[in-house]
Amino acid sequence: MPFRLNIACFTLLSHITHVISFIFAFKFFIVKAKHVALFIFLILLADQSLKLYTKTHYYLQEEHFILGKWFRLHFVENPGMAWGWEFGGEFGKIILTLFRMIAVILGTFYLRNIIRKKYHTGFIICASLIYVGALGNLIDSMFYGLIFNESEPYQLAKLFPAGGGYTSFLHGKVVDMLYFPIIQTHYPSWFPVTSWRGQDFEFFSPVFNLADASISIGVIALLIWQKKFFPKKQAVPKIVTVETEKAALDSGNTQTVV
């Protein structure tokens, strides 16, 4: 990958991270629909730009080191769910794509609703991350099979090929490329599970994309800060003094004050 593209990717990701940090830091920041739309657009732009570049400049299974050996761009295509999981073959693929489509449609109305009701800023951002992640992978599933030919080892895919795409509507594969094999080693000879001794061990092995990362960050942040996003309202007890009680009696109000 060209050096300039590396810098552009890291710069964009850095800006997105700073925006998230800024919004989380200010609880009373007033989030408007235009802010959420811009936030979603930036993440979707980064996700689709990286996917389009990878699809047209990388062979299938091609790999490049970005930061040492622990951060790589490794091009794979995922026919199923996020993080390389699969679901029920071709029929499951259609069901999954339709589910994503319904989730995105309903998510659009849900986002508009929580913005109008002025929910906690952090919750709106988390919901936006999950929404844009689903939208990013939905675009792959719906259109990539129509606008690209098949990616193969030692053969680059072309955008809008003369012979048409590699599959039909809703059957496109999701492009994955982010690979973080932070630890690569072997199970020791003393490992309790005998069959695993001497076998390869890798952490973190899934290959994913920015859309997958957005969904994961949104869900994890919701779990961590749910109490902050939805604090329990505590009833404020009324303090009744002798003077206020006497004043109530003098005014003829005999109602009991709790």
Side-chain angles (χ1 to χ4, degrees), residues 9 11 30 41 170 173 210 223 244:
C9 289
T11 301
I30 305 301
F41 173 76
L170 301 181
K173 299 176 183 177
L210 288 180
L223 294 175
T244 57

Side-chain angles (χ1 to χ4, degrees), residues 1 4 12 15 18 31 33 35 37 44 49 54 85 89 100 126 133 139 150-151 176 188-189 206 217 219 221 257:
M1 173 180 280
R4 290 183 179 179
L12 182 56
H15 286 323
H18 290 157
V31 177
H35 300 143
L44 187 63
S49 297
T54 302
W85 297 340
R100 283 174 178 155
C126 288
I139 292 174
E150 192 78 50
S151 291
D176 294 328
S189 58
I217 292 171
V219 171
V257 181

Side-chain angles (χ1 to χ4, degrees), residues 122-227:
F123 178 73
I124 296 176
I125 294 301
C126 288
S128 300
L129 286 169
I130 297 171
Y131 172 85
V132 71
L135 179 58
N137 286 334
L138 176 63
I139 292 174
D140 295 28
S141 300
M142 292 176 64
F143 301 114
Y144 275 30
L146 298 174
I147 65 175
F148 287 108
N149 61 341
E150 192 78 50
S151 291
E152 298 179 6
Y154 307 107
Q155 181 177 331
L156 296 177
K158 294 181 179 180
L159 182 62
F160 302 117
Y166 64 85
T167 190
S168 57
F169 184 63
L170 301 181
H171 287 82
K173 299 176 183 177
V174 176
V175 175
D176 294 328
M177 78 297 292
L178 300 177
Y179 183 34
F180 291 85
I182 299 173
I183 299 175
Q184 288 184 313
T185 184
H186 305 279
Y187 287 100
S189 58
W190 49 261
F191 197 75
V193 182
T194 307
S195 60
W196 290 8
R197 293 175 182 175
Q199 298 294 321
D200 294 337
F201 170 78
E202 182 175 282
F203 179 86
F204 176 76
S205 60
V207 182
F208 58 100
N209 56 44
L210 288 180
D212 298 334
S214 294
I215 294 173
S216 300
I217 292 171
V219 171
I220 293 171
L222 279 176
L223 294 175
I224 294 175
W225 288 297
Q226 57 179 321
K227 291 184 179 180

Side-chain angles (χ1 to χ4, degrees), residues 53-87:
Y53 183 89
T54 302
K55 181 73 174 174
T56 55
H57 290 76
Y58 278 47
Y59 304 126
L60 192 64
Q61 298 296 335
E62 184 176 351
E63 181 177 277
H64 289 271
F65 295 95
I66 303 302
L67 288 178
K69 293 183 178 180
W70 66 270
F71 175 27
R72 313 174 189 180
L73 288 182
H74 181 88
F75 175 34
V76 297
E77 289 187 306
N78 169 23
M81 298 184 289
W83 303 97
W85 297 340
E86 296 188 16
F87 174 70

